Amino acid sequence: MGNVLVWLVWFVAAAACLGTGMAVVTMTNPFFSALALIGNLASLAVLFLLLSAEFLAAAQVLVYAGAVMVMFLFVVAYLGGRADAPWAGGHRLVRGAAVVAAAALLTEIVVVLGLAWGDNLTDPAEISDSFGDPAQIGQAFLTDHLLAFEITSIVLLVAAVGGVVLGTTPEKEEETA
Amino acid sequence: MDGPDVGWYLIVAAILFGIGALGVMLRRSPLIVLLSLEIMLNAANLTLVAFARQQGNLDGQIFALAVMAVAAAEVAIGLGLIVAMARRRVPLDVDQASALRG
């Protein structure tokens, strides 16, 4: 019975994930696109929970759906009406080529998955209950992956400084703007 | 494992990646292109987490966390660029902003 429930939760989360993903791409108003992306990130967090990645699901909701999307909505609000860029056409051939390229990419991934499905993807490893909880993630981060952890902090620092540099306008350019 | 096999999660991730790629190639508003990029990054994250579960190895989840940090950095820089474009009255259209000059 628990099995059916897990399937049900998976199906709802996956459908919400794909639906909101399509909404992000098709909406003309970036505000609604950003809201749809928040729904997308939340349903992905549910999928992460089903894959027993508890810490990652929490980080997804807090960092992504919280902090990053708030920043996004601030920029949409700052730009106001100018952010409303509709589809704005483009050449019909270019649009057709984009659809074909995306479809080709999707087919490629699905074919590779189908080839690997056999025995590689049907028998998952046995895991303990503590798999993916904050203690284990912290343990892995501060022992095996310490270098990656430190490099990540440097990347974030560089991005923060870069954001400030991009955000400040020298006085000379202020006049011409 | 109760519920769907890992392969089903990978299918969802593949379709999500396709949707994101479509958005990046089709849309011309830099904001929406950035949002579609986020979808692609998250599809890759779902794949990493699914394989971490399949192999019973935590390294995939660590990698996914690193991807999230890089995505946050990318959004900060991308939004900074968009705001700078808006300040200089450059049209918010990735097709018209083809020359990387101030």
Side-chain angles (χ1 to χ4, degrees):
Chain A
M1 199 56 205
N3 204 349
V4 176
L5 198 62
V6 175
W7 266 100
L8 195 68
V9 172
W10 176 83
F11 186 78
V12 171
C17 195
L18 297 180
T20 50
M22 274 314 280
V24 171
V25 174
T26 50
M27 294 276 185
T28 51
N29 187 335
F31 180 72
F32 291 126
S33 272
L35 286 187
L37 187 64
I38 293 179
N40 188 289
L41 298 171
S43 49
L44 268 171
V46 174
L47 290 182
F48 286 172
L49 276 181
L50 289 180
L51 288 165
S52 57
E54 290 97 4
F55 179 73
L56 209 58
Q60 173 98 349
V61 172
L62 285 175
V63 176
Y64 236 128
V68 170
M69 294 317 292
V70 164
M71 193 159 69
F72 225 101
L73 290 175
F74 266 126
V75 170
V76 172
Y78 170 79
L79 294 176
R82 282 206 292 154
D84 285 349
W87 284 84
H91 197 276
R92 199 189 305 152
L93 274 178
V94 177
R95 272 184 288 166
V99 173
V100 169
L105 199 60
L106 180 64
T107 319
E108 197 175 326
I109 302 173
V110 170
V111 165
V112 169
L113 277 180
L115 290 179
W117 199 288
D119 22 71
N120 291 331
L121 293 182
T122 46
D123 197 19
E126 290 294 322
I127 52 166
S128 65
D129 282 347
S130 63
F131 184 77
D133 72 357
Q136 284 220 338
I137 295 275
Q139 176 90 23
F141 245 140
L142 293 179
T143 53
D144 293 345
H145 302 284
L146 189 58
L147 183 64
F149 186 67
E150 297 298 339
I151 289 177
T152 300
S153 62
I154 293 176
V155 167
L156 286 174
L157 179 66
V158 170
V161 173
V164 171
V165 170
L166 283 171
T168 48
T169 325
E171 281 173 33
K172 199 174 62 183
E173 288 162 23
E174 201 89 66
E175 291 160 16
T176 55
Chain B
M1 186 170 166
D2 292 350
D5 276 329
V6 166
W8 293 105
Y9 292 91
L10 297 180
I11 295 277
V12 172
I15 298 174
L16 206 57
F17 192 88
I19 291 174
L22 194 65
V24 170
M25 288 189 279
L26 220 47
R27 299 305 299 265
R28 292 166 67 185
S29 159
L31 276 167
I32 308 245
V33 168
L34 215 54
L35 286 171
S36 305
L37 264 177
E38 295 297 309
I39 294 185
M40 290 171 79
L41 283 168
N42 273 295
N45 261 355
L46 182 58
T47 313
L48 285 170
V49 175
F51 276 120
R53 173 68 188 81
Q54 172 73 20
Q55 309 285 336
N57 187 340
L58 218 48
D59 291 356
Q61 293 192 17
I62 300 287
F63 197 173
L65 275 170
V67 170
M68 276 171 68
V70 171
E74 170 243 315
V75 168
I77 297 296
L79 288 179
L81 283 173
I82 292 173
V83 170
M85 276 168 79
R87 276 207 185 144
R88 293 176 190 210
R89 304 287 186 272
V90 177
L92 287 179
D93 182 333
V94 287
D95 282 2
Q96 289 184 42
S98 53
L100 278 177
R101 279 183 280 143

